[in-house]
Amino acid sequence: MLARKKKPDAVLNWHPNFRDVATLPDIKQVRTGFLVNFVAIVLALLALAWTLYIEVEMHKVNHDIDALNTQMQDNDAANRKALAATKDFVNKSKALQFAAKFFSQKMPPLELLSSLIDARPENITFRSIDVTSIGRDLGGGKKADAQRVTIQGVLMSESELGLQEFVDRVVASPALKNRVGDPVKDRNIDSHRDPLAGAFEFTITLTLKPAS
């Protein structure tokens, strides 16, 4: 038998190793789980901080709104007081103007009232007395200051003759003597009967000449 040929010894692959192990980076496995937890904690803290910031701002806004509401209420109270004072001032001004106009008449008002009261019988009640200055035409383009006295009231009587008697006493009073001229033009009595009340409601108008 032929002898088997002996296989030559296997030759291993080889190449020179020039690496400097001390300078190579550390390629060990790095765990990143703690990084995820850290990011989650940071995000949670940021969300909490933002929520607290919103709460603080909302508290400030609510405080400002309450302060504005309080100020508005105070201003409303002050405005109401000012309006009330203005209304009172207007009313008093009207009263003063009326008094000034009343006492500036050519006919002394107190004398006129005294004459009307003295001439008034018990069955006549006054409702209003008005004195108005008017310009009376004297002709030829001339005018004179005159006054018109208007008396409104009620005569408790079955006859209206008491009204004429009252006017005659007024005209004859010292304050109005010789001040009422024409008995037709310068004296007017307008009356109508109220059958339910058994009385006459009247309006008497007297036109007075300027005092001589």
Side-chain angles (χ1 to χ4, degrees):
M1 291 180 67
L2 297 174
R4 292 181 179 179
K5 292 183 180 179
K6 188 178 180 180
K7 293 181 180 181
D9 296 334
V11 180
L12 299 175
N13 293 328
W14 177 90
H15 61 83
N17 183 5
F18 296 105
R19 293 179 295 181
D20 187 354
V21 179
T23 61
L24 291 176
D26 186 2
I27 59 175
K28 292 179 181 180
Q29 182 180 3
V30 179
R31 296 182 179 180
T32 59
F34 76 94
L35 294 176
V36 175
N37 294 335
F38 176 76
V39 172
I41 292 172
V42 170
L43 292 177
L45 291 176
L46 289 176
L48 178 61
W50 178 254
T51 302
L52 291 176
Y53 173 76
I54 295 298
E55 290 293 332
V56 171
E57 290 299 318
M58 288 298 296
H59 177 72
K60 290 182 179 179
V61 171
N62 291 332
H63 181 270
D64 292 340
I65 292 175
D66 292 339
L68 289 175
N69 288 332
T70 301
Q71 185 177 0
M72 290 176 62
Q73 293 176 358
D74 294 340
N75 291 339
D76 287 341
N79 290 337
R80 285 194 294 270
K81 290 182 180 179
L83 289 175
T86 301
K87 185 177 180 180
D88 183 61
F89 174 78
V90 170
N91 292 334
K92 289 182 178 179
S93 296
K94 290 180 179 179
L96 290 174
Q97 290 174 1
F98 175 80
K101 182 179 179 181
F102 182 77
F103 285 101
S104 65
Q105 300 291 334
K106 299 292 184 180
M107 162 67 69
L110 297 181
E111 291 185 16
L112 173 62
L113 291 176
S114 177
S115 299
L116 294 177
I117 292 172
D118 291 341
R120 182 186 67 87
E122 293 183 356
N123 60 346
I124 286 182
T125 302
F126 296 146
R127 286 183 175 174
S128 67
I129 300 172
D130 181 69
V131 181
T132 305
S133 294
I134 59 174
R136 189 168 185 177
D137 190 3
L138 300 179
K142 296 181 179 181
K143 290 186 177 182
D145 291 334
Q147 290 176 299
R148 179 171 293 150
V149 180
T150 303
I151 308 164
Q152 292 182 334
V154 177
L155 169 64
M156 300 298 297
S157 175
E158 295 296 328
S159 172
E160 59 180 337
L161 294 177
L163 294 176
Q164 186 61 55
E165 295 175 358
F166 166 67
V167 171
D168 292 340
R169 284 197 296 270
V170 171
V171 172
S173 65
L176 276 72
K177 190 175 183 179
N178 300 325
R179 293 289 305 276
V180 179
D182 193 318
V184 177
K185 293 183 180 180
D186 295 342
R187 307 181 192 185
N188 183 63
I189 300 175
D190 183 16
S191 64
H192 65 275
R193 180 169 173 74
D194 184 352
L196 296 178
F200 287 89
E201 295 184 358
F202 65 84
T203 300
I204 298 173
T205 304
L206 303 175
T207 301
L208 308 183
K209 299 184 297 183
S212 57

